[in-house]
Amino acid sequence: MKIFERLFSRKPVAKTEVEIAALIEGFANGTGGRWDWDYFISTHFENERINWAQKECFKVEEEFPRIGRVGWCNEKGLHRLRAIASELRASAKTDAWLV
């Protein structure tokens, strides 16, 4: 029964800002896991900065549309995704100094 509770739980999976930044970079660089991006765009996160990054990534798809039938965005959009990841990682480091 506990297995079903874990599999079908609606509680968000905890992820750190650094882990999400790596996930975004992995997607932009083509080195991410097969389902990592789907996890990221379909999950509700409680962390405000991760939610910010998620919303920014959705904007990338609209602001930098893909060319052709394949891909999330164009080359400029991939650059923006990497910048979002860097900003997210930098915000995590800022918090580390405050502790």
Side-chain angles (χ1 to χ4, degrees), residues 56 58-65 73-74 76-77 80:
E56 290 298 310
F58 280 123
K59 289 179 189 177
V60 167
E61 182 184 24
E62 293 177 16
E63 293 175 9
F64 304 97
C73 58
N74 62 34
K76 288 181 181 180
R80 176 64 184 133

Side-chain angles (χ1 to χ4, degrees), residues 8-94:
F8 298 106
S9 171
R10 293 192 180 255
K11 184 177 179 182
V13 178
K15 287 285 185 179
T16 67
E17 294 167 6
V18 173
E19 289 173 319
I20 295 298
L23 184 151
I24 295 168
E25 284 178 341
F27 177 76
N29 296 332
T31 59
R34 183 174 183 172
W35 301 109
D36 290 351
W37 189 252
D38 290 333
Y39 161 78
F40 173 62
I41 63 171
S42 64
T43 300
H44 170 75
F45 297 95
E46 292 180 7
N47 181 304
E48 288 181 32
R49 289 188 182 127
I50 293 174
N51 283 332
W52 166 83
Q54 192 179 47
K55 288 174 188 170
E56 290 298 310
C57 289
F58 280 123
K59 289 179 189 177
V60 167
E61 182 184 24
E62 293 177 16
E63 293 175 9
F64 304 97
R66 68 183 180 210
I67 299 170
R69 296 182 178 186
V70 180
W72 178 263
C73 58
N74 62 34
E75 198 62 39
K76 288 181 181 180
L78 294 176
H79 180 71
R80 176 64 184 133
L81 290 175
R82 292 180 191 104
I84 292 167
S86 294
E87 291 174 47
L88 190 58
R89 188 174 282 115
S91 71
K93 288 180 182 179
T94 301

